[in-house]
Amino acid sequence: MSDAIKHECGIVLLRLRKPYQYYIDKYGTPLYAANKLFLLMEKQVNRGQDGAGVANIKLDVPPGHRYISRYRSVEQQPVADVFGKINKKFAKALKKNKDKARDADWLQQNVAFTGEVWMGHLRYGTHGNNDIENCHPMLRQSNWRSRNLVMAGNFNMTNVDQLFNKLVSLGQHPKDFVDTVTVMEKIGHFLDEENQRVFDRFKGIYENPDLSDIIEDNLDLQRVLYRSCRDFDGGYAMVGMTGYGASFVARDPAGIRPAYYYADDEVVVVASEKPAIKTAFNVEYSQIQEVQPGHALIIDKYGEYGEYEFIQPIEKRSCSFERIYFSRATDPDIYNERKMLGRLLVPQILKEVNYDLENTVFSYIPNTAETAFFGMVEGLEDYLAKQRKKAIMEGILFEQDLDKVLSFRPRIEKLVSKDVKLRTFITDDAHRDEMVANVYDTTYEVIRKGIDTIVVVDDSIVRGTTLEKSILRMLDRLGPKKIVIVSSAPQIRFPDCYGIDMSKVKDFVAFRAVLQLLNERGLNHIADEVYAQAVVAIESGNAVQENYVKALFAPFTHDEISRKVADIITPRRNDVVDLNAEVAVIYQTVENLHVACPNHSGDWYFTGNYPTPGGNKVVNKAFVNFMEGKVVRAY
């Protein structure tokens, strides 16, 4: 997006199903798993650049040897930093023991990150400082192997306060009031209870240390997850590893956050995106399966796996922003969906340019909008094909007219490109806008001044600030008669609380547009009424029942809001329009979004229809915060 937003993290779980020696012998390196994990994470680095972490567990190493390894980093290139450290570990250990490079037993007893169970995490911080303590994986330690828990996740919980109070009621003393800590401690608590349940069942029958193995063989992780997650409200794909080698990936009941897996006789691998698995293991997309909502993929200490329901699934509402923007378009399904999003915009675009394609130039920004742009171009070609057929059927008398009809193509140009060498590090308000304006380069001398209309496709218009402060001014210097900004996503009207960093309503240009429309039409009382309803609902504990903020948008049509957005993003100087070209904005409709992405109906940011009760609580709280001037997260 031209207005970048932080979003869902990325997860990886890799389980080697054969002895460590097998991979050394077959692939000629003790770094087979590390190399695969690196590739899986690099192919998902779009999902998180604030930090990265890796954890590894060895199976069946003798007592007295470390069996859990973990590295985390918040450096500028955290994935490279983490794996650079892992490689240094191997290089240092083998420097004086080169003859041991293919000896699995020696490696596992003397070198870290030589285990069979691996976890990787890429962090996009939606809250909390960007320091190492907020970086996954998180580790809960114990001297009992079966009580150790390592966790990472792609999640946000809307009811952290409830979960925190639950931990306190259980007798715990959580070290922080954040969902990462509360989720891990809650699962850890019930893992402890499951250990105790199995211990009580078998004590007196078996003696230590045999009892430890019996406990590990009889722990029920499905039961642990059921007891832990039944009061979670949020979107999540959580990956966990126990100290004895069993692992899991648990997905929320609405399937909000993504998780996919592939398994063969050598590995079981889970990732947030299918292309990462496809690239790392060179498998067909048809072999990659989706972890079902409300289910956990559980892999036991022996490498056997299965999907198990741990919470009752509800209507699937997987995040449509994954399809529009977040996930890589190399996934064939996502690629086709994004093309369809662009194609479905064509009727609105033709109407806006008055069907004058001869004097219209089409482009896109940023690069991630390219796929939707291709779909739009295909839609324009279809329209022209129908026009050619109509002209021929109606009969054209002059050869030159027929030549023009048959040869005409949409005018496509690369008008804007981002200069990756420039970084907007200047933070003072007086100079930052100037720096932002120069992050982009423009292609000159392809627009006929005062004649052509420019149509630019964007993934989504979130805040509108980059359009206002740089892109529109830059396009205006080309001399067009009109600039049309086209969003492949619908109007973002409501905050997200399941993973995306969109928690404050004032940030959304569509929300600001509605406030101006209410004011212009003497309807400010609606905002006051919504505020009063939301305050009462929050104070009475009923804020989860209804999204009152929807009422702000009810008086206005989709097109009215789009026109007001165009007015807001039009640059001004001293309250006077400071742009020569006329500006228009086109948004995707929600109806067409569902046509393009029929299997991913999570649309709460556009419609306010949240998949969990906590979403209603968050949106009501976010509006109350806005009305009271509080610039804080609503969850």
Side-chain angles (χ1 to χ4, degrees), residues 303-322:
E304 299 302 315
Y305 68 94
E307 274 193 83
Y308 303 92
E309 182 180 310
F310 68 93
I311 192 169
Q312 180 68 42
I314 58 177
E315 179 188 356
K316 187 180 179 185
R317 299 289 301 282
S318 48
C319 172
S320 58
F321 255 122
E322 288 280 356

Side-chain angles (χ1 to χ4, degrees), residues 11 31 83 107 322 374 447 474 495 512 536 573:
I11 59 169
L31 289 167
F83 284 92
L107 287 166
E322 288 280 356
F374 288 156
I447 300 299
M474 183 174 49
R512 301 203 309 273
V536 170
R573 195 182 301 275

Side-chain angles (χ1 to χ4, degrees), residues 153-197:
N154 168 15
F155 62 83
N156 267 344
M157 299 298 171
T158 69
N159 61 334
V160 177
D161 50 352
Q162 177 188 346
L163 299 176
F164 182 89
N165 292 333
K166 178 66 174 179
L167 288 175
V168 173
S169 71
L170 292 171
Q172 293 195 22
H173 191 93
K175 65 179 182 179
D176 208 347
F177 194 88
V178 293
D179 52 8
T180 302
V181 171
T182 53
V183 165
M184 179 168 183
E185 291 300 331
K186 195 154 187 286
I187 294 175
H189 171 82
F190 287 107
L191 179 62
D192 286 345
E193 286 206 347
E194 178 67 8
N195 270 270
Q196 191 63 46
R197 182 184 72 85

Side-chain angles (χ1 to χ4, degrees), residues 263-288:
D264 59 25
D265 62 340
E266 291 187 358
V267 298
V268 180
V269 57
V270 185
S272 296
E273 297 188 27
K274 289 190 285 185
I277 300 174
K278 163 73 174 174
T279 300
F281 293 93
N282 193 29
V283 297
E284 298 298 323
Y285 276 105
S286 60
Q287 296 175 275
I288 303 171

Side-chain angles (χ1 to χ4, degrees), residues 425-487:
F425 58 88
I426 294 177
T427 56
D428 62 286
D429 294 337
H431 298 94
R432 189 176 188 279
D433 289 350
E434 180 183 355
M435 179 63 73
V436 168
N438 288 286
V439 167
Y440 296 93
D441 285 334
T442 314
T443 304
Y444 290 93
E445 308 303 329
V446 296
I447 300 299
R448 296 175 298 176
K449 297 182 185 297
I451 299 174
D452 289 336
T453 292
I454 295 175
V455 175
V456 178
V457 178
D458 197 351
D459 299 291
S460 179
I461 305 169
V462 186
R463 303 176 183 92
T465 51
T466 305
L467 289 168
E468 177 187 358
K469 294 181 182 298
S470 62
I471 294 173
L472 285 173
R473 291 184 186 277
M474 183 174 49
L475 292 173
D476 193 52
R477 289 198 289 269
L478 301 177
K481 178 180 68 175
K482 184 176 183 178
I483 302 171
V484 183
I485 305 297
V486 182
S487 168

Side-chain angles (χ1 to χ4, degrees), residues 307-365:
E307 274 193 83
Y308 303 92
E309 182 180 310
F310 68 93
I311 192 169
Q312 180 68 42
I314 58 177
E315 179 188 356
K316 187 180 179 185
R317 299 289 301 282
S318 48
C319 172
S320 58
F321 255 122
E322 288 280 356
R323 325 303 291 184
I324 297 166
Y325 173 71
F326 295 147
S327 291
R328 286 177 180 262
T330 47
D331 182 316
D333 292 335
I334 291 176
Y335 181 79
N336 289 324
E337 288 166 10
R338 290 183 186 174
K339 286 185 71 175
M340 181 57 71
L341 286 169
R343 180 186 287 269
L344 292 170
L345 286 162
V346 168
Q348 291 186 76
I349 293 170
L350 289 171
K351 183 179 179 182
E352 189 62 48
V353 302
N354 199 27
Y355 298 88
D356 182 12
L357 295 183
E358 188 172 346
N359 298 309
T360 301
V361 176
F362 297 91
S363 192
Y364 60 91
I365 183 173

Side-chain angles (χ1 to χ4, degrees), residues 75-88:
E75 296 298 318
Q76 189 170 3
Q77 294 182 308
V79 176
D81 184 52
V82 165
F83 284 92
K85 291 177 180 177
I86 292 173
N87 282 322
K88 285 180 181 178

